[in-house]
Amino acid sequence: ARQPAALSAAPDDGGEPALKRGPYLGQKLPGEEPEPFGRGFMSGQFHSAPSFSPEGDEFWWAGSFSGSRIYASALRDGAWTAPSIFLLPGGMDFMRDPFISPDGKRLYFISMAALPGSNTGGKENLWMSERISGKWSEAAPLPPAVNELAMHWTVSVAENYNLYFSAATERPDNDLYLSRWADGRYQKPERLPQPLNSDNNEYTPNIAPDESYILFSRFRGHSDTPRLYVSYSFQNGWSEPKLVENVPYCISPVVTPDRAYVIFLSSASSLSWRNTAFIEDLRDTR
């Protein structure tokens, strides 16, 4: 899937002194107005916002679209380790757009690596690694029922392991999908209904652990600016998505484990964050 033109054309934000100590890199916590995230510590271009461990002491993110690398940092003795390339057993060398499950036991990511039994890659597929006794396992692809879709960008997983992602099927635009975790495996994906999906492009969903709300990016054409939307789950379906007005550009919104902040790409070379007060402020109370 193509990226919005604005994402590949955004300027570099420059740097500030490296931030190394304390929660969230020791940064001043933001309020309702977006603030830069990780500037001076994380550099280069980005393809996804960071995903934090449940304890907030590790995080992972994707480098540039063409870089096919996941980077990681961990809080050790009160200081964050220098960003380094994250590797899994098995030698996989194409990994992008990581997401950690709410319990910290599963890491999901996109890869164009060859699937088992094949010698050629070339298509973006979803893979998963499990953390067992503190160590990550060799990654395995998700079932063909999931990976037969043309997917792209960050995915999200609820506390019950239900998987939310974006993909293109019968039309060129991307829609949001759900693959339920049942009987120990992922089921055939369901295209989420209107008004979540529309005639626009819907990308990079981020589901609440209890599936009570969802954040995602929406834009009409690939030359348009992606914006941040929130929708709420009710017994009769999803509410009309509401625009978060003061976030002028958003791809890959990821809410922190404490549910207090949302981090997102504000350009190809910058990340921003703000608090999640808008989730309650915009909530549909029908």
Side-chain angles (χ1 to χ4, degrees), residues 92-162:
M92 179 175 286
D93 60 0
F94 189 115
M95 300 165 61
R96 192 167 60 222
D97 304 341
F99 184 81
I100 189 81
S101 60
D103 61 9
K105 295 180 179 180
R106 294 181 175 186
L107 184 73
Y108 299 77
F109 61 92
I110 293 281
S111 179
M112 294 176 68
L115 296 174
S118 172
N119 294 321
T120 59
K123 176 189 174 298
E124 291 180 303
N125 290 302
L126 271 172
W127 295 65
M128 183 183 76
S129 172
E130 295 188 86
R131 202 169 212 170
I132 303 171
S133 299
K135 296 183 178 180
W136 291 108
S137 69
E138 186 171 339
L142 268 58
V146 174
N147 279 328
E148 68 182 5
L149 298 178
M151 61 191 60
H152 186 57
W153 255 326
T154 42
V155 305
S156 181
V157 176
E159 59 192 3
N160 60 8
Y161 294 142
N162 281 350

Side-chain angles (χ1 to χ4, degrees), residues 243-279:
L243 174 67
V244 182
E245 296 281 358
N246 77 334
V247 176
Y249 186 106
C250 173
I251 284 287
S252 182
V254 178
V255 177
T256 55
D258 56 14
R259 315 310 294 172
Y261 308 99
V262 58
I263 310 171
F264 53 92
L265 270 72
S266 48
S267 81
S269 54
S270 66
L271 296 162
S272 294
W273 64 332
R274 60 149 294 176
N275 68 22
T276 52
F278 67 90
I279 292 175

Side-chain angles (χ1 to χ4, degrees), residues 4-189:
L7 186 58
S8 59
D12 195 330
D13 277 315
E16 290 181 347
L19 305 166
K20 294 184 178 180
R21 303 192 71 85
Y24 299 122
L25 306 179
Q27 299 167 106
K28 179 182 177 182
L29 301 177
E32 295 185 2
E33 291 300 317
E35 300 286 348
F37 181 90
R39 195 161 64 184
F41 185 84
M42 305 159 70
S43 61
Q45 292 195 322
F46 306 102
H47 198 254
S48 71
S51 182
F52 277 82
S53 65
E55 299 78 16
D57 59 355
E58 296 177 274
F59 69 110
W60 300 261
W61 69 95
S64 66
F65 175 74
S66 59
S68 67
R69 291 289 184 270
I70 290 176
Y71 295 87
S73 178
L75 190 61
R76 297 288 182 263
D77 299 322
W80 289 92
T81 59
S84 61
I85 295 175
F86 176 72
L87 299 174
L88 288 170
M92 179 175 286
D93 60 0
F94 189 115
M95 300 165 61
R96 192 167 60 222
D97 304 341
F99 184 81
I100 189 81
S101 60
D103 61 9
K105 295 180 179 180
R106 294 181 175 186
L107 184 73
Y108 299 77
F109 61 92
I110 293 281
S111 179
M112 294 176 68
L115 296 174
S118 172
N119 294 321
T120 59
K123 176 189 174 298
E124 291 180 303
N125 290 302
L126 271 172
W127 295 65
M128 183 183 76
S129 172
E130 295 188 86
R131 202 169 212 170
I132 303 171
S133 299
K135 296 183 178 180
W136 291 108
S137 69
E138 186 171 339
L142 268 58
V146 174
N147 279 328
E148 68 182 5
L149 298 178
M151 61 191 60
H152 186 57
W153 255 326
T154 42
V155 305
S156 181
V157 176
E159 59 192 3
N160 60 8
Y161 294 142
N162 281 350
L163 173 72
Y164 292 76
F165 61 96
S166 60
T169 52
E170 67 275 2
R171 65 190 189 95
D173 297 328
N174 265 54
D175 288 324
L176 302 179
Y177 283 81
L178 162 63
S179 175
R180 300 182 188 276
W181 177 256
D183 301 322
R185 62 189 298 271
Y186 279 107
Q187 307 300 306
K188 183 176 178 61

